[in-house]
């Protein structure tokens, strides 16, 4: 069977069954799993499907959160404010916390108790500035090259600074999150910084406003099963949240 024929077969199977299991297809066609996985990788690069462990699922829509910072600030403002308040309540006195950049992170820091005592590490100038009034919060800037699209620091200096820390919590912003496709974002270097913060924290909490759910972005950060918790808006689909809970993720639903 030619490569083009195999790929067409895989796409037909995906449309019919809603998934492709590489092992089953390899046995059915008498081909190696490596061959099928290679075909699936190529189809994923073309945006025709999403690769998952053991096979593939239909392609997810692109995330509206790939827009720049100013455009994202206009998306779901009420939901982001509620998510920020719920996330702020998770920080305990004395903790060392990474706070990622992003519009929802801005709501988080503005919701912190005025007398909170903690240490916040961030690569976001806007997050750092929002903490100026919190006299008992020590703010550590992570530095790096300014990525203007998201208004955060990225690059080798940022990664090196993160590597020197072991935080209690990481509040992570993402462009996309899906139970199967995991966490992803739209820039290669920004994904590396988010991945480093996730790895350097005992627990990672993802702030997921409605436009980010069940979408995919080009650069993967981590699997959905590799985070501790998810904070979502009131009214988020219960069936979708059940899929995260099945992965062992604690789901915090922000009050309306």
């Amino acid at each position: 069977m030619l490569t083009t024929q195999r790929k067409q077969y895989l796409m037909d199977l995906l449309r019919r069954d809603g998934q492709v299991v590489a092992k089953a297809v390899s046995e059915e066609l008498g081909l190696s799993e490596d061959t099928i996985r290679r075909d699936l990788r190529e189809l994923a690069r073309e945006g025709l499907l999403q690769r998952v462990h053991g096979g593939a699922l239909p392609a997810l829509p692109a995330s509206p959160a790939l827009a720049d910072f100013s455009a994202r600030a206009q998306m779901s403002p009420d939901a982001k404010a509620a998510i920020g308040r719920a996330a702020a309540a998770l920080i305990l006195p004395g903790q060392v916390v990474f706070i990622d950049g992003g519009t929802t992170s801005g709501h988080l820091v503005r919701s912190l108790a005025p007398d909170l005592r903690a240490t916040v590490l961030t690569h976001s100038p806007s997050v750092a500035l929002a903490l100026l009034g919190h006299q008992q919060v020590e703010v550590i800037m992570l530095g790096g090259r300014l990525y203007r699209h998201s208004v955060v620091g990225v690059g080798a200096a940022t990664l090196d600074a993160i590597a020197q820390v072991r935080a209690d919590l990481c509040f992570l912003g993402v462009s996309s999150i899906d139970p199967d496709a995991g966490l992803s974002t739209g820039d290669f270097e920004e994904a590396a910084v988010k991945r480093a913060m996730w790895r350097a924290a005992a627990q990672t909490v993802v702030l997921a406003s409605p436009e980010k759910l069940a979408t995919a972005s080009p650069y993967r950060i981590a699997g959905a099963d590799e985070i501790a918790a998810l904070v979502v808006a009131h009214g988020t689909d219960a069936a979708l949240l059940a899929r995260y809970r099945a992965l062992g993720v604690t789901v915090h639903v922000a009050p309306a």
Side-chain angles (χ1 to χ4, degrees):
M1 182 181 284
L2 299 174
T3 302
T4 53
Q5 292 174 314
R6 289 198 309 271
K7 288 182 177 179
Q8 185 60 56
Y9 177 83
L10 291 169
M11 292 305 300
D12 290 343
L13 186 64
L14 187 61
R15 280 188 285 270
R16 188 190 75 195
D17 296 346
Q19 64 176 350
V20 172
V21 179
K23 181 177 176 60
V25 174
S26 70
E27 292 174 351
E28 183 178 347
L29 299 181
L31 298 168
S32 70
E33 282 191 58
D34 285 343
T35 297
I36 301 303
R37 291 194 187 101
R38 183 176 63 249
D39 290 341
L40 292 174
R41 283 195 299 271
E42 292 175 1
L43 289 167
R45 280 196 292 269
E46 296 171 33
L48 298 174
L49 51 75
Q50 59 164 316
R51 287 283 286 115
V52 295
H53 181 71
L57 292 171
L60 291 169
S63 173
L66 291 172
D68 65 19
F69 190 88
S70 59
R72 283 185 282 123
Q74 309 305 315
M75 297 177 187
S76 310
D78 293 340
K80 289 178 179 178
I83 289 169
R85 289 191 295 270
L90 301 177
I91 301 176
L92 300 177
Q95 286 190 317
V96 176
V97 183
F98 283 120
I99 299 182
D100 193 7
T103 54
T104 310
S105 295
H107 287 288
L108 187 164
V109 295
R110 289 191 289 273
S111 299
L112 294 174
D115 60 348
L116 175 69
R117 179 179 56 83
T119 298
V120 169
L121 300 102
T122 185
H123 62 142
S124 166
S126 57
V127 166
L129 287 171
L131 288 166
L132 282 178
H134 290 76
Q135 297 299 321
Q136 297 190 70
V137 175
E138 182 174 8
V139 182
I140 299 175
M141 291 290 297
L142 296 171
R145 175 182 64 82
L146 182 65
Y147 176 45
R148 288 178 170 81
H149 179 277
S150 298
V151 196
V152 292
V154 297
T158 315
L159 295 173
D160 185 62
I162 293 169
Q164 312 310 313
V165 180
R166 184 60 180 170
D168 298 297
L169 276 177
C170 170
F171 289 98
L172 201 64
V174 298
S175 298
S176 302
I177 180 167
D178 179 77
D180 297 307
L183 289 57
S184 54
T185 195
D187 181 78
F188 182 80
E189 283 195 293
E190 192 176 16
V193 171
K194 292 175 185 292
R195 197 157 46 242
M197 289 195 293
W198 155 61
R199 288 174 174 160
Q203 292 189 318
T204 291
V205 179
V206 171
L207 310 177
S209 49
E211 71 278 1
K212 301 172 183 177
L213 297 170
T215 67
S217 297
Y219 301 102
R220 191 174 189 272
I221 301 163
D225 60 341
E226 295 176 299
I227 62 172
L230 181 66
V231 186
V232 299
H234 178 79
T236 300
D237 180 63
L240 177 61
L241 298 184
R243 294 177 64 194
Y244 288 106
R245 292 188 176 105
L247 295 173
V249 177
T250 299
V251 177
H252 301 278
V253 179

